[in-house]
Amino acid sequence: HLPIPGLVSIFHRVTGVAMFLFLIPAVLFVLQCTVGSEDGFNRWKSFFSEPLVKVVFLGFVWAYMHHFFAGIRYLLLDVHIGIDLAPARMSARIVMAMGLIATVLIGVRIW
């Protein structure tokens, strides 16, 4: 049983790798296609309107949001803010909650 700060750490690493290997190249490719022509924009617009694509997109949104909030947490830990056990556990819970809340808010917006 891994404590929540350990889960946040593992998720931070996994989401970082996923974004580097998959998300950033995919975003750059889609951006290139959508700004290249109106037809390309319309093609990707219809692709992203599919429900399954939206679910996968929300997975990537969660990965980004978790990585973002965990990164802020680690920056604060680096300057010795919240480094004791109780504040570290609380900040880990906050990271998990904020990642989910941000994903839900974005999910509501795109659906």
Side-chain angles (χ1 to χ4, degrees), residues 21-65:
L21 293 178
F22 304 110
L23 186 61
I24 293 172
V27 167
L28 291 174
F29 176 73
V30 170
L31 183 64
Q32 179 185 3
C33 292
T34 57
V35 298
S37 69
E38 187 176 346
D39 182 49
F41 175 81
N42 290 330
R43 187 174 328 125
W44 283 102
K45 183 178 175 182
S46 67
F47 176 75
F48 279 109
S49 68
E50 297 294 324
L52 183 60
V53 174
K54 287 182 181 182
V55 170
V56 171
F57 178 74
L58 283 178
F60 280 118
V61 167
W62 175 83
Y64 175 77
M65 298 312 292

Side-chain angles (χ1 to χ4, degrees), residues 4 8 11 58-59 61-70 92-108:
I4 192 160
V8 169
F11 287 156
L58 283 178
V61 167
W62 175 83
Y64 175 77
M65 298 312 292
H66 175 81
H67 195 80
F68 175 78
F69 290 120
R93 287 185 188 100
I94 291 170
V95 165
M96 296 293 268
M98 292 301 294
L100 290 173
I101 290 168
T103 302
V104 167
L105 291 174
I106 292 170
V108 167

